[in-house]
Amino acid sequence: MPKIKTHRGAAKRFKKTASGEYKGSHAFHSHILGKKSPKRKRNLRKTVIVSQVDANRLKILLP
């Protein structure tokens, strides 16, 4: 059997934590930032733990 390849696009965007969860960055922080409040933009800089449904999909992409 051939080896399972890692999805490189997902590998650049998500990292696996020591507890097995996946962390990534928030969406909506690349452009059209003038109408967003400073507090909202500041919170978008932080990392986020992806939901359980998306984590199940990431297990396939990042073996």
Side-chain angles (χ1 to χ4, degrees):
M1 289 297 294
K3 292 184 180 180
I4 300 174
K5 289 190 176 182
T6 300
H7 191 284
R8 299 312 297 164
K12 293 170 187 175
R13 288 168 173 84
F14 300 99
K15 300 294 178 195
K16 195 171 187 180
T17 62
S19 60
E21 297 173 316
Y22 292 94
K23 67 177 183 177
S25 59
H26 282 96
F28 308 110
H29 191 59
S30 58
H31 59 99
I32 315 176
L33 299 173
K35 62 176 73 172
K36 296 170 187 164
S37 67
K39 180 181 178 181
R40 183 175 169 191
K41 292 187 280 191
R42 188 166 59 246
N43 286 328
L44 287 173
R45 284 200 300 259
K46 301 174 182 177
T47 59
V48 63
I49 301 296
V50 301
S51 66
Q52 185 60 44
V53 178
D54 295 327
N56 291 335
R57 190 177 301 151
L58 283 174
K59 285 179 187 175
I60 300 169
L61 297 175
L62 304 173

